[in-house]
Amino acid sequence: KNAPSPTPPPPHHPGPGNAPLSPNLLKNPSIVRTTLKERDDVASLSSSKSSILDGLLVLVTIASYDFMQHSHLEEVLDGFQDLCYAGSKVDIVIYTTVLYPVALIDMFNDRMRCNNPSPNSGLTMTLMLKPSRVRLHLVDFHRELFYDRIDQYDVFVYMEDDIRISPKTVAAYLHETRRVESLVGPKHATDFNVGI
């Protein structure tokens, strides 16, 4: 019958970033604009290199023999589009043995945009048609491209068309690679490879 009375909430102690809105802010819009501009200025200063992915140059090659895995390929491409939105410059080369219909190319051109305003980010996609007789050797064509562009990119990704890689995956790879370098030194770090 004697239920305990509810505990009152702890008193609110305003501190940086959690002060209540003042009615004066709502009455004077110039104060609000100034406050938002200051916040944007601080955000732009802190985000100049706020992510390990910002400005990262990534070359991706995907082996996609035919359209059997097309629904998976779309998800794979979405992951690299997300990487662009995270601040990276991503160039994708898809090796295939089938001609892509114009409608499908148009769809990719419409879908695969990265509107990240950073000059360090971007997204390109290139289709490389190979003869169907290459069969399982389709997975070998990325090697020459990687060697030709070894000095132009920070990260090289080879994959097939059914493995999704997210910005989180790339960031984790870079973080763990740096940990290896800190443990064994830069000279011996090339003896190790972080797998994902």
Side-chain angles (χ1 to χ4, degrees), residues 125-150:
M125 190 169 73
T126 305
L127 295 172
M128 298 291 290
L129 183 63
K130 298 295 179 183
S132 60
R133 68 179 176 273
V134 300
R135 301 180 48 82
L136 296 178
H137 294 286
L138 187 67
V139 301
D140 297 328
F141 288 101
H142 71 283
R143 294 176 184 167
E144 184 178 344
L145 182 66
F146 283 6
Y147 286 125
D148 289 345
R149 299 185 184 178
I150 194 75

Short mmCIF file of all heavy atoms in Angstrom, two decimals, residues 125-150:
data_model
loop_
_atom_site.label_atom_id
_atom_site.label_comp_id
_atom_site.label_asym_id
_atom_site.label_seq_id
_atom_site.Cartn_x
_atom_site.Cartn_y
_atom_site.Cartn_z
N MET A 125 33.47 5.05 -62.41
CA MET A 125 33.25 3.63 -62.67
C MET A 125 33.54 3.36 -64.14
O MET A 125 33.05 4.10 -65.01
CB MET A 125 31.83 3.22 -62.32
CG MET A 125 31.64 1.72 -62.35
SD MET A 125 30.07 1.19 -61.65
CE MET A 125 28.95 1.68 -62.91
N THR A 126 34.33 2.33 -64.41
CA THR A 126 34.71 1.95 -65.76
C THR A 126 34.41 0.48 -65.96
O THR A 126 34.72 -0.34 -65.09
CB THR A 126 36.23 2.19 -65.98
OG1 THR A 126 36.54 3.54 -65.66
CG2 THR A 126 36.63 1.90 -67.41
N LEU A 127 33.82 0.14 -67.09
CA LEU A 127 33.58 -1.26 -67.45
C LEU A 127 34.66 -1.70 -68.43
O LEU A 127 34.91 -1.01 -69.43
CB LEU A 127 32.21 -1.42 -68.10
CG LEU A 127 31.00 -1.12 -67.23
CD1 LEU A 127 29.74 -1.13 -68.07
CD2 LEU A 127 30.90 -2.12 -66.10
N MET A 128 35.29 -2.83 -68.16
CA MET A 128 36.31 -3.38 -69.04
C MET A 128 35.80 -4.73 -69.56
O MET A 128 35.68 -5.68 -68.79
CB MET A 128 37.62 -3.59 -68.29
CG MET A 128 38.23 -2.31 -67.74
SD MET A 128 38.85 -1.21 -69.02
CE MET A 128 40.26 -2.10 -69.58
N LEU A 129 35.50 -4.78 -70.84
CA LEU A 129 34.96 -5.99 -71.45
C LEU A 129 36.10 -6.91 -71.88
O LEU A 129 37.04 -6.49 -72.56
CB LEU A 129 34.11 -5.62 -72.67
CG LEU A 129 33.41 -6.76 -73.38
CD1 LEU A 129 32.40 -7.43 -72.45
CD2 LEU A 129 32.70 -6.25 -74.64
N LYS A 130 36.00 -8.16 -71.44
CA LYS A 130 36.99 -9.18 -71.79
C LYS A 130 36.25 -10.32 -72.51
O LYS A 130 35.06 -10.53 -72.30
CB LYS A 130 37.68 -9.73 -70.52
CG LYS A 130 38.46 -8.67 -69.77
CD LYS A 130 39.62 -8.16 -70.61
CE LYS A 130 40.39 -7.10 -69.88
NZ LYS A 130 41.47 -6.56 -70.70
N PRO A 131 36.95 -11.09 -73.35
CA PRO A 131 36.29 -12.19 -74.06
C PRO A 131 35.82 -13.27 -73.07
O PRO A 131 36.49 -13.54 -72.07
CB PRO A 131 37.35 -12.72 -75.01
CG PRO A 131 38.63 -12.11 -74.60
CD PRO A 131 38.34 -10.96 -73.71
N SER A 132 34.70 -13.89 -73.38
CA SER A 132 34.13 -14.90 -72.47
C SER A 132 35.04 -16.11 -72.33
O SER A 132 34.97 -16.84 -71.34
CB SER A 132 32.75 -15.33 -72.93
OG SER A 132 32.82 -15.87 -74.23
N ARG A 133 35.91 -16.33 -73.26
CA ARG A 133 36.80 -17.51 -73.20
C ARG A 133 37.81 -17.40 -72.04
O ARG A 133 38.46 -18.39 -71.69
CB ARG A 133 37.50 -17.74 -74.52
CG ARG A 133 38.51 -16.70 -74.90
CD ARG A 133 39.20 -17.01 -76.25
NE ARG A 133 40.08 -15.93 -76.63
CZ ARG A 133 39.72 -14.85 -77.31
NH1 ARG A 133 38.47 -14.73 -77.72
NH2 ARG A 133 40.60 -13.91 -77.61
N VAL A 134 37.97 -16.23 -71.43
CA VAL A 134 38.92 -16.12 -70.31
C VAL A 134 38.43 -16.89 -69.10
O VAL A 134 39.21 -17.24 -68.23
CB VAL A 134 39.21 -14.64 -69.92
CG1 VAL A 134 39.81 -13.90 -71.08
CG2 VAL A 134 38.01 -13.95 -69.36
N ARG A 135 37.13 -17.09 -69.02
CA ARG A 135 36.49 -17.84 -67.95
C ARG A 135 37.05 -17.50 -66.57
O ARG A 135 36.98 -16.36 -66.15
CB ARG A 135 36.55 -19.33 -68.25
CG ARG A 135 35.87 -19.70 -69.57
CD ARG A 135 35.88 -21.15 -69.93
NE ARG A 135 35.49 -22.07 -68.89
CZ ARG A 135 34.24 -22.38 -68.55
NH1 ARG A 135 33.24 -21.81 -69.16
NH2 ARG A 135 34.00 -23.26 -67.62
N LEU A 136 37.65 -18.44 -65.87
CA LEU A 136 38.12 -18.20 -64.51
C LEU A 136 39.31 -17.24 -64.44
O LEU A 136 39.63 -16.73 -63.37
CB LEU A 136 38.50 -19.53 -63.85
CG LEU A 136 37.35 -20.52 -63.65
CD1 LEU A 136 37.86 -21.81 -63.04
CD2 LEU A 136 36.26 -19.91 -62.78
N HIS A 137 39.94 -16.96 -65.56
CA HIS A 137 41.09 -16.05 -65.55
C HIS A 137 40.66 -14.58 -65.52
O HIS A 137 41.52 -13.69 -65.50
CB HIS A 137 42.01 -16.33 -66.75
CG HIS A 137 42.65 -17.67 -66.67
ND1 HIS A 137 43.68 -17.95 -65.78
CD2 HIS A 137 42.39 -18.83 -67.33
CE1 HIS A 137 44.03 -19.21 -65.92
NE2 HIS A 137 43.27 -19.77 -66.83
N LEU A 138 39.38 -14.34 -65.48
CA LEU A 138 38.89 -12.96 -65.34
C LEU A 138 39.44 -12.34 -64.06
O LEU A 138 39.64 -11.13 -63.98
CB LEU A 138 37.35 -12.93 -65.33
CG LEU A 138 36.71 -11.55 -65.35
CD1 LEU A 138 36.99 -10.85 -66.67
CD2 LEU A 138 35.21 -11.66 -65.13
N VAL A 139 39.74 -13.18 -63.09
CA VAL A 139 40.24 -12.68 -61.79
C VAL A 139 41.70 -12.21 -61.87
O VAL A 139 42.21 -11.67 -60.89
CB VAL A 139 40.10 -13.76 -60.70
CG1 VAL A 139 38.65 -14.17 -60.54
CG2 VAL A 139 40.97 -14.97 -60.99
N ASP A 140 42.37 -12.41 -63.00
CA ASP A 140 43.79 -12.05 -63.11
C ASP A 140 44.04 -10.66 -63.69
O ASP A 140 45.14 -10.13 -63.56
CB ASP A 140 44.52 -13.07 -63.99
CG ASP A 140 44.50 -14.46 -63.40
OD1 ASP A 140 44.50 -14.58 -62.16
OD2 ASP A 140 44.49 -15.44 -64.18
N PHE A 141 43.05 -10.04 -64.31
CA PHE A 141 43.28 -8.81 -65.06
C PHE A 141 43.60 -7.60 -64.17
O PHE A 141 44.22 -6.65 -64.63
CB PHE A 141 42.09 -8.50 -65.97
CG PHE A 141 42.00 -9.43 -67.14
CD1 PHE A 141 41.10 -10.47 -67.14
CD2 PHE A 141 42.84 -9.26 -68.23
CE1 PHE A 141 41.03 -11.34 -68.21
CE2 PHE A 141 42.77 -10.13 -69.31
CZ PHE A 141 41.86 -11.18 -69.30
N HIS A 142 43.21 -7.64 -62.93
CA HIS A 142 43.46 -6.48 -62.06
C HIS A 142 44.94 -6.28 -61.78
O HIS A 142 45.38 -5.17 -61.49
CB HIS A 142 42.70 -6.66 -60.74
CG HIS A 142 43.28 -7.72 -59.86
ND1 HIS A 142 43.07 -9.06 -60.08
CD2 HIS A 142 44.09 -7.62 -58.78
CE1 HIS A 142 43.72 -9.75 -59.16
NE2 HIS A 142 44.34 -8.90 -58.35
N ARG A 143 45.73 -7.33 -61.86
CA ARG A 143 47.14 -7.24 -61.46
C ARG A 143 47.91 -6.22 -62.28
O ARG A 143 48.65 -5.39 -61.75
CB ARG A 143 47.79 -8.62 -61.55
CG ARG A 143 47.22 -9.59 -60.55
CD ARG A 143 47.80 -10.95 -60.69
NE ARG A 143 47.13 -11.85 -59.76
CZ ARG A 143 47.23 -13.15 -59.80
NH1 ARG A 143 47.98 -13.72 -60.73
NH2 ARG A 143 46.60 -13.89 -58.92
N GLU A 144 47.76 -6.28 -63.59
CA GLU A 144 48.48 -5.33 -64.45
C GLU A 144 48.04 -3.90 -64.16
O GLU A 144 48.87 -2.99 -64.09
CB GLU A 144 48.25 -5.67 -65.92
CG GLU A 144 49.04 -4.79 -66.86
CD GLU A 144 48.85 -5.16 -68.32
OE1 GLU A 144 48.37 -6.27 -68.62
OE2 GLU A 144 49.20 -4.31 -69.16
N LEU A 145 46.74 -3.70 -63.96
CA LEU A 145 46.24 -2.36 -63.63
C LEU A 145 46.83 -1.86 -62.32
O LEU A 145 47.25 -0.70 -62.21
CB LEU A 145 44.71 -2.38 -63.55
CG LEU A 145 44.04 -1.05 -63.27
CD1 LEU A 145 44.24 -0.08 -64.44
CD2 LEU A 145 42.56 -1.25 -62.99
N PHE A 146 46.90 -2.71 -61.31
CA PHE A 146 47.48 -2.33 -60.02
C PHE A 146 48.96 -1.93 -60.18
O PHE A 146 49.40 -0.93 -59.63
CB PHE A 146 47.35 -3.45 -59.00
CG PHE A 146 45.97 -3.60 -58.41
CD1 PHE A 146 44.89 -2.86 -58.86
CD2 PHE A 146 45.75 -4.50 -57.38
CE1 PHE A 146 43.63 -3.01 -58.30
CE2 PHE A 146 44.49 -4.66 -56.80
CZ PHE A 146 43.42 -3.92 -57.27
N TYR A 147 49.71 -2.74 -60.93
CA TYR A 147 51.12 -2.42 -61.14
C TYR A 147 51.29 -1.11 -61.91
O TYR A 147 52.16 -0.30 -61.59
CB TYR A 147 51.85 -3.55 -61.88
CG TYR A 147 52.11 -4.76 -61.02
CD1 TYR A 147 51.67 -6.02 -61.40
CD2 TYR A 147 52.81 -4.64 -59.83
CE1 TYR A 147 51.91 -7.14 -60.61
CE2 TYR A 147 53.06 -5.74 -59.02
CZ TYR A 147 52.60 -6.99 -59.43
OH TYR A 147 52.84 -8.09 -58.64
N ASP A 148 50.43 -0.88 -62.90
CA ASP A 148 50.52 0.35 -63.68
C ASP A 148 50.22 1.59 -62.84
O ASP A 148 50.73 2.67 -63.12
CB ASP A 148 49.55 0.32 -64.87
CG ASP A 148 50.00 -0.65 -65.96
OD1 ASP A 148 51.17 -1.08 -65.95
OD2 ASP A 148 49.15 -0.96 -66.83
N ARG A 149 49.40 1.45 -61.82
CA ARG A 149 48.96 2.61 -61.03
C ARG A 149 49.43 2.56 -59.58
O ARG A 149 48.87 3.22 -58.72
CB ARG A 149 47.44 2.70 -61.09
CG ARG A 149 46.93 2.88 -62.52
CD ARG A 149 45.47 3.09 -62.57
NE ARG A 149 45.01 3.15 -63.95
CZ ARG A 149 43.75 3.30 -64.29
NH1 ARG A 149 42.81 3.41 -63.37
NH2 ARG A 149 43.40 3.35 -65.56
N ILE A 150 50.49 1.82 -59.32
CA ILE A 150 50.96 1.60 -57.95
C ILE A 150 51.28 2.90 -57.22
O ILE A 150 51.09 3.00 -56.01
CB ILE A 150 52.17 0.63 -57.92
CG1 ILE A 150 52.44 0.12 -56.51
CG2 ILE A 150 53.41 1.27 -58.51
CD1 ILE A 150 51.48 -0.90 -56.02
#
